[in-house]
Amino acid sequence: MTYCAAISVDTGVVLVSDSRTNAGVDQISTYSKMHKLISDGERMITLLSSGNLATSQAVVRTAARDVKNEANNNIKTLTSLADVAEYIADISRAEQKKYRAKTDDGFNPEASFILAGQIRGFEQQIFLVYPEGNYIRAAKRHPFLQIGEIKYGKPILDRIVEPQLDLQTAAQCALVSMDSTMRSNLSVGPPIELLVYEADSFKSGAYYNFSSDDEYLRALRDSWHGQLRDAFNRLPELPSHSTPMRIIDGSTDQ
Amino acid sequence: MTYCAAISVDTGVVLVSDSRTNAGVDQISTYSKMHKLISDGERMITLLSSGNLATSQAVVRTAARDVKNEANNNIKTLTSLADVAEYIADISRAEQKKYRAKTDDGFNPEASFILAGQIRGFEQQIFLVYPEGNYIRAAKRHPFLQIGEIKYGKPILDRIVEPQLDLQTAAQCALVSMDSTMRSNLSVGPPIELLVYEADSFKSGAYYNFSSDDEYLRALRDSWHGQLRDAFNRLPELPSHSTPMRIIDGSTDQ
């Protein structure tokens, strides 16, 4: 399983991804799911991938080759980030089609992508590219996207993320969302990659690769954990007056 | 969709359930999913249900009728809570079988149950009864069970619930877990029912039925929301030193 998330706030974009891949519990490996496609001072484009590892790698490989071969359409020449999303979707679909034709025994070549970045002259953007090849932009009010095992880490994003959030808090929120997911699902695991891109910088931004015993990640986790426990002490007490409850034989409580 | 959870701590049991049922977004209704089967000073047994509403209602109706008809096996005569779990499972399976035989067009008569309570002479217990009829007890270290849309509300239970937790905090934790689920999934909705049972009381315990505009629920939600936001201000700052990130063409960041 995989968990990747992208948060786009007014001042920049935060990307987070885990590194665990598995094909059954006895075939667990570590692969990066965060791929920086380009960062040349004019455009910064990064891809997060979830799903079939062969498909994901083929997409990244093809994108790199198209730049090298100076293909008509490549991540350096495409005008907008939406065009890049369409381009990535086309490669992904073509790659999946090859293998879907070959086997039909439960094997699943599908992959999902989050495309994030900025091209000079445009705003920063984040897109989710579905396995089918269609894609969406994040909503204005809840400007985040997730792929993979998304449910455990969604509540904290739902509660906290808004366009006005500062970049530092957005990054911490992404890490807390990842930590919640890892605690609840063993198939999502470290190292955790984090990229913090400042809007209009067109530079790479700050990149972190946190191992499982990383000191900062542990401090963050401990602080969050302690604060959640403390928060319960400050929640309002349950009302002292409760209501009678009907029992199924029709009587009510004493 | 549905969300129900049971938490068993040293001093008692907390049950929470939503009340939304739907068969498509234009067929939304409100039904209680918390059924107090018995509470007579000798035993307190309550059932939470998820899945097919007809199956759930049939199980509760049959349990009530068996008591009235003084059937050999009923919730008043069965020795242990595990026996009650087996009994509920048998009714559920029989009920499902009737309808599975009749149709096969995507219609799903499956239902899951959480059985919670205490019989004099025994400890309090919580069981999860699967649609297939098998059942489990909660783990000692993470003594909670969930049915329905379980993922959004699981992280907070994973982080907080332990046997030593006081009953008040367990109840607040159940409500926060429910609130997280409702925020992230529109098909889980109020009224929210909450039952707080004190161990060895063999009485009904405190029952609450919170409507969507309930004052306490809103105060709890606001307090939790505010404290989460504050918690981010106290988290350790990201390290100032980040690592270089490889770009897919093989170069690294400036």
Side-chain angles (χ1 to χ4, degrees):
Chain A
M1 212 55 206
T2 290
Y3 179 51
C4 302
I7 301 174
S8 175
V9 293
D10 292 342
T11 51
V13 172
V14 170
L15 304 178
V16 70
S17 61
D18 85 311
S19 305
R20 191 158 290 173
T21 65
N22 69 312
V25 285
D26 54 354
Q27 273 207 45
I28 290 181
S29 296
T30 297
Y31 284 95
S32 170
K33 299 162 191 175
M34 186 181 286
H35 319 280
K36 172 100 48 95
L37 300 186
I38 189 169
S39 163
D40 64 357
E42 287 298 313
R43 42 180 74 196
M44 193 295 283
I45 305 176
T46 298
L47 200 64
L48 305 175
S49 59
S50 161
N52 188 284
L53 184 61
T55 302
S56 307
Q57 288 188 354
V59 167
V60 173
R61 205 164 43 230
T62 306
R65 197 173 45 212
D66 282 354
V67 171
K68 204 175 164 200
N69 296 346
E70 297 179 9
N72 272 346
N73 285 333
N74 72 58
I75 48 169
K76 275 193 169 172
T77 61
L78 288 160
T79 314
S80 71
L81 218 55
D83 290 340
V84 178
E86 184 101 30
Y87 163 80
I88 294 293
D90 286 346
I91 307 176
S92 169
R93 232 177 354 187
E95 191 62 27
Q96 291 175 54
K97 211 175 164 189
K98 279 196 229 170
Y99 299 103
R100 212 192 295 275
K102 276 189 190 167
T103 68
D104 197 30
D105 58 347
F107 156 82
N108 186 353
E110 291 190 347
S112 303
F113 299 90
I114 288 174
L115 179 74
Q118 189 173 19
I119 293 175
R120 200 175 284 275
F122 295 91
E123 282 188 337
Q124 54 172 10
Q125 289 180 311
I126 57 177
F127 288 93
L128 196 166
V129 180
Y130 294 102
E132 293 77 9
N134 51 353
Y135 53 92
I136 57 167
R137 267 189 74 174
K140 284 268 177 219
R141 275 194 59 193
H142 285 287
F144 65 84
L145 294 170
Q146 305 170 285
I147 52 176
E149 178 62 271
I150 67 173
K151 290 190 177 183
Y152 301 117
K154 185 166 181 282
I156 193 67
L157 300 178
D158 276 333
R159 286 186 194 272
I160 301 296
V161 174
E162 55 181 17
Q164 298 77 33
L165 202 66
D166 66 283
L167 207 49
Q168 170 81 218
T169 307
Q172 292 167 329
C173 190
L175 289 176
V176 167
S177 174
M178 176 61 77
D179 186 54
S180 295
T181 307
M182 284 196 293
R183 288 182 73 95
S184 291
N185 188 319
L186 280 182
S187 72
V188 173
I192 302 307
E193 293 178 90
L194 177 76
L195 184 68
V196 184
Y197 169 77
E198 281 178 48
D200 303 327
S201 71
F202 302 99
K203 284 194 295 186
S204 274
Y207 169 75
Y208 303 87
N209 191 326
F210 299 112
S211 63
S212 58
D213 59 348
D214 182 86
E215 209 173 303
Y216 173 70
L217 214 56
R218 196 183 309 152
L220 184 92
R221 192 183 294 137
D222 289 350
S223 168
W224 183 252
H225 203 68
Q227 291 194 69
L228 282 194
R229 291 189 160 274
D230 293 348
F232 276 102
N233 296 328
R234 289 189 288 265
L235 285 179
E237 295 267 303
L238 275 171
S240 54
H241 179 73
S242 56
T243 40
M245 182 179 182
R246 231 170 58 96
I247 301 176
I248 54 164
D249 65 6
S251 65
T252 45
D253 281 0
Q254 61 280 50
Chain B
M1 211 56 206
T2 289
Y3 178 52
C4 302
I7 302 174
S8 175
V9 292
D10 292 342
T11 51
V13 172
V14 170
L15 304 178
V16 70
S17 61
D18 85 311
S19 304
R20 191 159 289 173
T21 65
N22 69 311
V25 285
D26 54 352
Q27 273 206 46
I28 290 181
S29 297
T30 298
Y31 284 95
S32 171
K33 299 163 190 174
M34 186 181 288
H35 318 280
K36 172 100 46 97
L37 300 185
I38 189 168
S39 164
D40 64 357
E42 287 297 314
R43 43 180 73 196
M44 193 295 283
I45 305 175
T46 298
L47 201 63
L48 304 176
S49 58
S50 161
N52 188 284
L53 185 62
T55 302
S56 308
Q57 287 189 353
V59 167
V60 173
R61 205 163 45 230
T62 305
R65 197 172 47 211
D66 282 353
V67 171
K68 204 175 163 198
N69 296 346
E70 297 179 8
N72 273 346
N73 284 334
N74 72 57
I75 50 169
K76 276 194 167 168
T77 61
L78 288 160
T79 314
S80 71
L81 218 57
D83 290 340
V84 177
E86 184 101 29
Y87 163 80
I88 293 293
D90 285 346
I91 307 175
S92 168
R93 231 174 356 186
E95 191 62 25
Q96 289 176 53
K97 211 174 162 188
K98 277 196 231 171
Y99 300 101
R100 212 191 295 276
K102 275 188 190 166
T103 68
D104 197 32
D105 58 347
F107 156 82
N108 186 354
E110 291 190 347
S112 303
F113 300 90
I114 289 175
L115 180 75
Q118 188 174 19
I119 293 176
R120 200 175 285 275
F122 295 91
E123 283 188 334
Q124 56 174 8
Q125 289 180 311
I126 57 176
F127 287 93
L128 197 166
V129 180
Y130 293 102
E132 293 77 8
N134 50 353
Y135 53 93
I136 57 166
R137 268 189 74 175
K140 285 270 178 219
R141 276 193 59 193
H142 285 288
F144 65 85
L145 294 170
Q146 305 169 285
I147 51 176
E149 178 61 272
I150 68 174
K151 289 189 177 182
Y152 302 116
K154 186 166 180 279
I156 192 66
L157 300 177
D158 276 334
R159 286 186 194 271
I160 301 295
V161 174
E162 55 182 15
Q164 298 78 33
L165 202 66
D166 66 284
L167 207 49
Q168 170 80 220
T169 308
Q172 292 167 327
C173 190
L175 289 176
V176 168
S177 174
M178 177 60 78
D179 186 53
S180 295
T181 307
M182 284 195 294
R183 286 183 75 93
S184 290
N185 188 320
L186 280 182
S187 72
V188 173
I192 302 307
E193 292 179 271
L194 177 75
L195 185 68
V196 184
Y197 169 76
E198 280 179 46
D200 303 328
S201 70
F202 302 100
K203 284 194 295 188
S204 274
Y207 169 75
Y208 303 89
N209 191 325
F210 300 111
S211 62
S212 59
D213 59 349
D214 181 86
E215 209 173 303
Y216 173 71
L217 213 57
R218 195 183 310 153
L220 184 92
R221 191 183 295 137
D222 289 350
S223 169
W224 183 252
H225 203 69
Q227 290 194 69
L228 282 194
R229 290 188 161 274
D230 292 348
F232 276 102
N233 295 329
R234 288 189 289 265
L235 285 179
E237 295 267 305
L238 275 171
S240 55
H241 179 73
S242 56
T243 41
M245 183 180 183
R246 231 170 58 98
I247 300 176
I248 55 162
D249 65 5
S251 65
T252 45
D253 281 358
Q254 60 280 53

